[in-house]
């Protein structure tokens, strides 16, 4: 039986189609309204925002490193300059085969494995159209060779930069310091201090000495170029340039001629020389030996060379002038004399008998004088002149460690001097509390006796000895020592103010004179310990020698330098000033393991003083540079 075929309802299908068409039409209208609303939001309501973002993508800021400030000595001699250096840079996208180019370049100029490795690393991290440095600090010969052959190397070019250079090398390293490449720690510190943007184009930063201490002034202010770039970051054109502001120039108190002479004297020896202008406490010379060439740090010192410096037994990286610690030995006896006079433990006329040793009452141990048979009857002046240990053993016993500690603190021992470099130690001015914390032991009377002649637990830096002598010469006036004398900001040169502290007050000004007179006798009277070093000088000077033990010698043993390892021999110490009536220079000299201070330190002071006193108009730097003096 055939099934009946149902007829189609055309009316119902037509209505369904109309309903669907209406829904689609409404949907299209809704989406169109949404699109129009979004266009309104983007083009009108938030036009400024997206226009700025568009410009940010189109316009790029390229930082420009500022020229670093220069450093001069007190006479205008350039000590740290910026020299043009040349490097080879390669733009990868212009090179057909980089490996072939590197091989051909290596046949013309010397390319180390480090140069090639560093280039390949930077090549992987950089865009192909940006120049990548292949080798820094090309020699003139390498620049000439490449220039002649440059047509063979498409995509390679010579670029010039300014690089720090120290013309006097190792002679002044520990005062100037050096600059070196910015590392991760520097970036963290600059970021923390909110200074990182000013270093966006800078490759080096001050690491030591003056370069580090005055980094903010020397660095300057970065400039920038505002450039238009395409969607790949390539520069299309330069829109605006803001030039960088150069760093400030510095003028030091250091005289490079004295510095070079002092460096030459210590060459081949371990030690330090500090020379100070007593009127201003300006550092005339600061030498630490052995030293090192700071120029090798500027472009990046090799691991081999740095390890050699770091592991050297002579420790050239240490600034012995401000970080080397030594027993001050007999150089502190004039200061001990002032203290004893102030505390009424001695007077100018009082004499004691020196049999060649001192014994604490009711004990058997003898503290020996350097002169085994003694000096006989001595007063305070003779005790300084002839460096009578017994006199100062007794003085220390009578005064006590508490008074010694407190009084010597006033002269700067156990404290920072305030010098304008970061590389400084306080050394140690011992006290009861210090020994209890350090050694977990009480302070014994025997400890005080050794301190009385600058031995035992007492240590000082050569800079502290110079500063203490300076205070004595100035009769209690205290001024922080400074290496930098003036700053030139491009408009004017301004002298830095003297950082003066409360003076050391004494009951009787005569007490200063007694101590200074004893130092006069050291180099001028017949029994003075350093008289031979200053025979025939056309000026009058004063000083005090010291011989600091490095290792202890048994009470009944003789000191035999030849039988002792060279590094265990005594250190030679010497402090001095000249002229005696109106001092213009103060010296502190330490020569490690050299022996007697008078025979080894005295001649060095004589040589430097002769040179200094023969020069005229040494202190006219203010007039010479038309400085603005902030002290006035």
């Amino acid at each position: 039986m055939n099934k009946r075929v149902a007829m189609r309802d055309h009316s119902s299908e037509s209505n369904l189609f109309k309903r669907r068409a209406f829904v689609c039409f409404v949907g299209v209208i809704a989406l169109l309204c949404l699109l129009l609303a979004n266009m309104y939001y983007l083009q009108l309501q938030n036009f400024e925002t997206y226009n700025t973002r568009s410009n940010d993508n189109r316009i790029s800021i390229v930082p420009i490193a500022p020229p670093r400030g220069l450093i001069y000595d007190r006479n205008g001699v350039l000590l740290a300059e910026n020299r043009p250096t040349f490097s080879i840079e390669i733009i990868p996208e212009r090179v057909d085969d980089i490996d072939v180019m590197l091989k051909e370049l290596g046949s013309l100029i010397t390319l180390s494995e480090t140069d090639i490795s560093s280039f390949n690393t930077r090549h992987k991290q950089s865009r192909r159209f940006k120049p990548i440095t292949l080798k820094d600090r090309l020699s003139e010969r390498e620049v000439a060779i490449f220039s002649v052959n440059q047509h063979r190397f498409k995509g390679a070019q010579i670029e010039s930069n300014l690089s720090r250079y120290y013309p006097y090398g190792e002679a002044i390293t520990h005062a100037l310091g050096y600059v070196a490449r910015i590392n991760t720690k520097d970036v963290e510190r600059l970021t923390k201090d909110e200074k990182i943007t000013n270093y966006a184009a800078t490759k080096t930063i001050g690491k030591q000495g003056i370069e580090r201490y005055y980094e903010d002034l020397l660095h300057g202010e970065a400039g920038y170029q505002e450039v238009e770039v395409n969607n790949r970051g390539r520069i299309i054109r330069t829109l605006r340039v803001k030039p960088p502001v150069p760093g400030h120039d510095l003028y030091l108190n250091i005289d490079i001629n004295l510095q070079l002479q002092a460096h030459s004297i210590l060459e081949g020896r371990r030690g330090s020389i500090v020379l100070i202008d007593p009127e201003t406490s300006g550092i005339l010379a600061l030498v630490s030996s052995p030293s090192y060439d700071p120029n090798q740090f500027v472009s990046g010192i090799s691991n081999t060379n740095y390890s050699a410096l770091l592991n050297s037994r002579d420790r050239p990286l240490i600034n012995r002038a401000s970080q080397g610690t030594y027993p001050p030995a007999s150089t502190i006896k004039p200061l001990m004399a002032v203290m004893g006079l102030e505390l009424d433990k001695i007077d100018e006329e009082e004499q004691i008998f020196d049999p060649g040793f001192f014994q604490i009452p009711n004990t058997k141990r003898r503290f020996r004088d350097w002169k085994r048979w003694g000096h006989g009857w001595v007063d305070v002046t003779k005790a300084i002149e002839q460096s009578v240990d017994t006199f100062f053993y007794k003085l220390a016993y009578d005064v006590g460690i508490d008074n010694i500690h407190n009084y010597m603190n006033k002269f700067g021992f156990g404290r920072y001097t305030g010098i304008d470099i970061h590389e400084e130690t306080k050394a140690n001015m011992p006290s009861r509390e210090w020994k209890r914390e350090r050694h977990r032991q009480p302070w014994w009377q025997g400890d005080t006796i050794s301190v009385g002649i600058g031995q035992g637990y007492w240590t000082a830096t050569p800079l502290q000895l110079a500063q203490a002598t300076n205070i004595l010469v100035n009769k209690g006036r205290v001024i922080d020592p400074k290496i930098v004398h003036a700053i030139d900001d491009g408009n004017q040169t301004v002298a830095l103010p003297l950082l003066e502290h409360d003076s050391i007050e004494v009951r009787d000004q005569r007490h200063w004179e007694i101590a200074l007179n004893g130092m006069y006798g050291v180099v001028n009277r017949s029994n003075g310990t350093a008289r031979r070093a200053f025979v025939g000088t056309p000026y009058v000077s004063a000083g005090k020698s010291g011989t600091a033990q490095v290792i202890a010698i048994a009470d009944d043993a003789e000191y035999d330098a030849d039988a002792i390892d060279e590094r265990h021999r005594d250190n030679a110490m010497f402090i001095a000033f000249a002229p005696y009536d109106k001092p213009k220079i103060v010296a502190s000299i330490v020569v490690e393991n050299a022996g007697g201070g008078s025979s080894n330190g005295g001649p060095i002071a004589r040589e430097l003083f002769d040179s200094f006193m023969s020069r005229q108009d040494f202190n006219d730097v203010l007039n010479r540079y038309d400085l603005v003096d902030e002290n006035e």
Side-chain angles (χ1 to χ4, degrees):
M1 181 176 178
N2 295 329
K3 292 183 178 180
R4 185 179 179 179
V5 178
M7 299 294 292
R8 296 176 64 179
D9 189 348
H10 293 284
S11 176
S12 297
E13 290 181 353
S14 176
N15 291 334
L16 178 63
F17 175 78
K18 289 178 180 179
R19 288 195 299 271
R20 288 177 176 176
F22 177 77
V23 170
C24 289
F25 176 77
V26 172
V28 169
I29 294 298
L31 291 174
L32 182 62
C33 291
L34 182 62
L35 178 62
L36 292 173
N38 194 46
M39 288 180 63
Y40 173 82
Y41 174 80
L42 294 175
Q43 298 293 331
L44 298 176
Q45 187 173 351
N46 287 292
F47 171 78
E48 293 295 335
T49 299
Y50 288 99
N51 184 57
T52 301
R53 293 176 64 180
S54 175
N55 283 333
D56 287 343
N57 292 329
R58 181 177 64 89
I59 299 173
S60 180
I61 302 298
V62 179
I64 305 173
R68 194 170 181 85
L70 306 179
I71 302 177
Y72 301 88
D73 88 331
R74 66 186 295 127
N75 299 307
V77 178
L78 192 57
L79 304 179
E81 59 181 305
N82 301 320
R83 285 190 173 181
T85 57
F86 299 94
S87 60
I88 290 182
E89 294 187 349
I90 296 176
I91 302 176
E93 73 171 4
R94 297 182 184 177
V95 182
D96 295 331
D97 191 324
I98 288 182
D99 292 333
V100 172
M101 174 180 276
L102 293 179
K103 185 176 181 180
E104 292 179 354
L105 278 172
S107 66
L108 294 177
I109 62 175
T110 302
L111 292 177
S112 66
E113 292 183 3
T114 302
D115 292 332
I116 296 175
S117 175
S118 298
F119 172 81
N120 289 331
T121 300
R122 290 192 291 267
H123 180 205
K124 295 175 182 178
Q125 300 172 346
S126 303
R127 297 187 177 184
R128 288 181 53 80
F129 59 81
K130 288 193 172 183
I132 303 172
T133 300
L134 175 60
K135 182 177 181 179
D136 281 320
R137 303 179 77 87
L138 298 175
S139 67
E140 293 183 1
R141 183 174 181 274
E142 289 174 325
V143 172
I145 291 174
F146 178 81
S147 298
V148 171
N149 293 275
Q150 187 170 3
H151 64 281
R152 296 168 46 195
F153 303 101
K154 183 181 178 181
Q157 60 192 21
I158 294 285
E159 287 294 325
S160 62
N161 299 284
L162 289 178
S163 182
R164 201 61 152 180
Y165 180 72
Y166 305 98
Y168 294 97
E170 65 179 24
I172 196 169
T173 298
H174 291 99
L176 287 186
Y178 58 85
V179 299
R181 292 186 183 276
I182 295 175
N183 58 31
T184 303
K185 290 184 178 180
D186 296 322
V187 172
E188 292 175 354
R189 177 172 53 82
L190 291 170
T191 302
K192 181 180 178 181
D193 296 339
E194 299 182 349
K195 299 176 182 178
I196 191 64
T197 55
N198 198 34
Y199 284 79
T202 303
K203 296 180 180 179
T204 59
I205 192 171
K207 296 285 188 176
Q208 296 281 331
I210 290 300
E211 291 277 26
R212 179 187 174 194
Y213 193 91
Y214 290 94
E215 169 64 26
D216 290 345
L217 293 174
L218 287 166
H219 178 260
E221 182 180 340
Y224 63 86
Q225 292 184 80
E226 192 176 281
V227 298
E228 185 176 358
V229 298
N230 62 15
N231 61 343
R232 296 182 62 188
R234 186 194 304 276
I235 296 176
I236 299 174
R237 58 174 175 152
T238 300
L239 303 177
R240 189 161 67 97
V241 176
K242 179 185 176 183
V245 179
H248 294 4
D249 295 341
L250 302 182
Y251 288 90
L252 308 187
N253 286 301
I254 287 177
D255 179 89
I256 190 59
N257 293 316
L258 274 178
Q259 181 79 18
L260 290 174
Q261 183 180 9
H263 173 73
S264 176
I265 290 172
L266 285 182
E267 190 170 4
R269 296 191 274 186
R270 298 180 301 276
S272 173
I273 295 175
V274 180
L275 304 177
I276 292 183
D277 176 355
E279 183 178 351
T280 64
S281 285
I283 301 293
L284 300 175
L286 187 145
V287 174
S288 176
S289 179
S291 186
Y292 58 94
D293 184 1
N295 291 301
Q296 59 186 325
F297 284 88
V298 176
S299 58
I301 187 171
S302 68
N303 289 333
T304 301
N305 290 340
Y306 183 69
S307 294
L309 291 174
L310 189 63
N311 299 321
S312 172
R313 191 181 182 190
D314 292 331
R315 302 191 303 165
L317 294 175
I318 297 296
N319 185 349
R320 282 170 161 81
S322 57
Q323 294 176 303
T325 57
Y326 310 88
S330 296
T331 59
I332 52 85
K333 288 176 179 176
L335 305 179
M336 291 288 293
V338 173
M339 179 191 65
L341 292 166
E342 277 294 294
L343 298 178
D344 279 334
K345 298 299 181 180
I346 57 174
D347 61 45
E348 186 176 3
E349 305 297 333
E350 179 185 359
Q351 292 186 338
I352 70 163
F353 184 77
D354 170 25
F357 62 88
F358 173 80
Q359 281 182 282
I360 298 175
N362 303 317
T363 65
K364 294 182 179 180
R365 180 183 174 184
R366 291 184 173 185
F367 294 86
R368 296 184 307 174
D369 194 287
W370 68 267
K371 194 173 186 179
R372 279 192 170 275
W373 53 89
H375 295 82
W377 289 99
V378 296
D379 58 14
V380 62
T381 302
K382 185 177 179 181
I384 297 173
E385 286 177 11
Q386 299 182 30
S387 199
V388 181
D389 292 336
T390 304
F391 184 93
F392 292 97
Y393 287 148
K394 182 178 184 303
L395 176 59
Y397 175 79
D398 292 340
V399 170
I401 187 59
D402 297 329
N403 284 319
I404 295 175
H405 172 82
N406 294 335
Y407 209 83
M408 293 306 154
N409 265 168
K410 297 179 182 180
F411 286 94
F413 293 105
R415 301 166 57 184
Y416 293 117
T417 64
I419 193 173
D420 44 353
I421 55 176
H422 292 296
E423 301 78 48
E424 184 184 15
T425 179
K426 295 189 291 185
N428 184 50
M429 186 64 242
S431 65
R432 298 178 189 276
E433 293 75 15
W434 169 84
K435 189 181 180 186
R436 190 178 299 114
E437 292 178 6
R438 178 67 180 273
H439 297 283
R440 301 188 183 282
Q441 293 179 358
W443 186 269
W444 307 108
Q445 285 184 322
D447 298 330
T448 304
I449 307 306
S450 297
V451 169
I453 60 166
Q455 295 281 173
Y457 295 119
W458 190 349
T459 60
T461 67
L463 181 62
Q464 286 176 332
L465 287 175
Q467 175 69 343
T469 306
N470 195 37
I471 294 172
L472 177 61
V473 166
N474 282 296
K475 300 176 182 178
R477 187 184 181 206
V478 182
I479 309 172
D480 286 350
K482 292 296 176 186
I483 296 176
V484 173
H485 172 63
I487 297 173
D488 186 349
D489 63 2
N491 297 315
Q492 62 179 1
T493 305
V494 180
L496 296 182
L498 302 182
L499 297 180
E500 193 162 357
H501 303 279
D502 293 338
S503 297
I504 299 176
E505 300 293 336
V506 293
R507 294 183 297 104
D508 187 345
Q509 290 295 315
R510 175 68 182 161
H511 295 164
W512 298 119
E513 299 294 344
I514 294 170
L516 295 172
N517 182 49
M519 294 179 69
Y520 168 89
V522 169
V523 300
N524 293 286
R525 297 193 179 110
S526 59
N527 291 321
T529 56
R531 65 192 182 283
R532 294 177 182 175
F534 289 85
V535 172
T537 59
Y539 55 88
V540 178
S541 61
K544 183 69 189 78
S545 61
T547 304
Q549 287 184 349
V550 175
I551 59 172
I553 303 296
D555 290 342
D556 58 348
E558 289 285 345
Y559 176 80
D560 183 0
D562 294 333
I564 298 175
D565 181 88
E566 187 267 341
R567 291 178 183 264
H568 291 162
R569 296 171 187 169
D570 295 342
N571 295 328
M573 323 285 289
F574 199 82
I575 59 171
F577 64 92
Y580 180 75
D581 54 345
K582 294 182 179 179
K584 293 184 178 180
I585 184 171
V586 169
S588 168
I589 298 163
V590 175
V591 185
E592 294 181 11
N593 313 120
S598 57
S599 57
N600 293 283
I604 294 176
R606 164 71 185 271
E607 185 175 345
L608 292 169
F609 284 6
D610 284 352
S611 176
F612 175 83
M613 296 301 294
S614 65
R615 301 177 62 189
Q616 301 296 319
D617 300 323
F618 193 83
N619 293 310
D620 66 350
V621 66
L622 286 173
N623 296 328
R624 185 177 303 154
Y625 293 106
D626 297 323
L627 303 183
V628 177
D629 191 350
E630 289 192 356
N631 295 301
E632 295 181 354

